[in-house]
Amino acid sequence: MTAQREWFEKDYYKVLGVSETATAKEITRAYRKLARELHPDANPGDEAAEERFKEISAAYDVVGDEAKRKEYDEVRRLGPMGGMGFGGPGGGSGSGPGPGAGGAPFGFDGGDLGDILGGLFGRRGRPGGGASRGPGPQRGADLEAELHLPFREAVTGVTTSLHLTSDAACSTCHGSGAKPGTVPTTCGQCQGRGVLDDNQGLFSFSTPCANCGGTGTVVTDPCPTCRGAGVERRAREVKVRIPAGVDDGQRIRLKGRGGAGRHGGPAGDLFVLVHVDPDPVFGRDGTNLTITVPVTFTEAALGTNLTVPTLDGSTVTLKLPGGTPSGKVMRVRGRGVETKKTTGDLLVTVQVAVPDTLTDEQRQAVEALAAVFPDTPRTHLGV
C-alpha cells in the first residue's frame, strides 16, 4: 500500500469524529451515522454536504480497513520526512521534488522504492513496516470428473459414487505429515510465522523461512507413508448427490471434494461434468419432457381417447379431437422435469402413422377411401 499525501494532511479520525484508539465497530458506527446524514440523496443540491460525504468516505476507506489503518497510523507517526517522499507540506507525490527537497529520490514514492528493492533482492517489502505472509497452507487442486447418467436418473435426481485417483489426506497421519504418535513442532527459526523479517528502517522485508519452507512448523519424525507431505495419491470414492433436472453437459461443483490441501490448507473443489444418455421414449426441451405418439389415420380423422405414458410409469388420457393433423402438439401440465424452481410440462406430439406395406384387402379399402375424397389438399399451392 502506497501512502498518499493526504495521509499527512488530514486526520481521518477527526473527520469521522472518533478517537485514534476507537475500535473498528466504533469507526463503522460513526461512518454509517454520518453517511446517512450527508448522503446526496438526502441532501439534493447541497454541494457542501456532497463534499463532506466524499470526505468521510475517503476517511473510512482508510481507517475502516484494518491493514490500511495500520499503515496510516505508522506513516503519520513517522511524519512526512520519514515517508521518503510520500507527500506532505513542501513535497509532492510521484514526480515531486528531487533528493534533499523533501520528496522521494528521482520522483519515486515509497511504494515504488519498496517494489524496486523487493525485485532486486527477491524479497517483498512495503512501507510502514509489517511482514508479508509466507507460503504457509496451500489449497488443494481443483479436479474434474465425468459422470454418465441414464436419462431418467438425470430427470429425477440420484445419489451415486465417483471413483477418483487423486491427492488425498494421508491415511496414516491424516494430513499432519508426522509419524503416528508424534506431532509437528513450531519452527524455532521463525517462531511459527513462516517468514523471516529484515527490518530496514521504514521498510520491512520478509522472506519465506528456509527452515520450515514457510509453513511455520517442522516435522522432525516424518510419516512413513507420505514422507512428511501430509498427502498421498490414492484411489478414493466420492459420494455425489445429483439434483433433479440436471442437463446434458452441465458442470456441478462440489466444494471441498477436490485434491487435498497441504500444510493444513483447504481441499480444492471437484467439478463433475454430466453426460445424459438418450431415452428411447422421452426427449427433453428445457424443463419440458417430449414424447411422440403415433396414431392411425382413422384415429386422427374421427378422434379418439389417447393413452400416453409418463416418465414416472403412470399414464394420462388425452381426448384427441376429430380432424387432428399430424404434428399437433398437446400439453400435459406439470408432468415434465421437476426442479427446485419450477416444474415443466409433458409435450405430446401426434404423428399419423403410415403403413409401409398393405395387404390386398387394405389396399382396396384405401382406394375406396380415396375415391370418396377426390379433392386434393394442395389446391392452395396453385399446382
Side-chain angles (χ1 to χ4, degrees), residues 55-129:
E55 189 177 23
I56 66 167
S57 297
Y60 184 68
D61 182 60
V62 176
V63 297
D65 181 279
E66 184 178 354
K68 289 182 182 178
R69 181 184 182 183
K70 184 177 179 181
E71 293 189 64
Y72 173 74
D73 291 344
E74 180 68 9
V75 169
R76 285 180 61 82
R77 184 185 68 81
L78 293 172
M81 296 306 293
M84 291 185 64
F86 289 139
S93 61
S95 57
F106 307 106
F108 292 108
D109 66 14
D112 296 330
L113 187 57
D115 292 339
I116 292 172
L117 294 176
L120 288 174
F121 298 108
R123 301 177 295 180
R124 298 184 61 187
R126 61 192 181 105

Side-chain angles (χ1 to χ4, degrees), residues 40-215:
D41 292 344
N43 303 274
D46 189 339
E47 295 184 0
E50 183 176 351
E51 288 301 316
R52 181 87 172 93
F53 179 78
K54 292 179 180 178
E55 189 177 23
I56 66 167
S57 297
Y60 184 68
D61 182 60
V62 176
V63 297
D65 181 279
E66 184 178 354
K68 289 182 182 178
R69 181 184 182 183
K70 184 177 179 181
E71 293 189 64
Y72 173 74
D73 291 344
E74 180 68 9
V75 169
R76 285 180 61 82
R77 184 185 68 81
L78 293 172
M81 296 306 293
M84 291 185 64
F86 289 139
S93 61
S95 57
F106 307 106
F108 292 108
D109 66 14
D112 296 330
L113 187 57
D115 292 339
I116 292 172
L117 294 176
L120 288 174
F121 298 108
R123 301 177 295 180
R124 298 184 61 187
R126 61 192 181 105
S132 61
R133 292 177 57 84
Q138 298 175 18
R139 183 179 182 274
D142 290 337
L143 305 178
E144 183 167 297
E146 295 187 351
L147 177 64
H148 290 265
L149 288 179
F151 182 89
R152 294 171 189 246
E153 289 186 355
V155 171
T156 60
V158 66
T159 298
T160 186
S161 296
L162 286 172
H163 296 275
L164 308 172
T165 299
S166 67
D167 286 345
C170 177
S171 56
T172 301
C173 67
H174 306 292
S176 71
K179 183 179 179 180
T182 68
V183 294
T185 58
T186 301
C187 176
Q189 191 164 344
C190 66
Q191 304 303 316
R193 295 176 59 245
V195 293
L196 297 174
D197 293 339
D198 181 10
N199 293 315
Q200 299 289 331
L202 176 64
F203 297 98
S204 176
F205 297 100
S206 59
T207 57
C209 176
N211 187 51
C212 64
T215 64

Side-chain angles (χ1 to χ4, degrees), residues 253-269:
R253 178 191 177 196
L254 302 177
K255 189 174 182 180
R257 305 303 295 276
R262 294 175 181 267
H263 311 306
D269 298 333

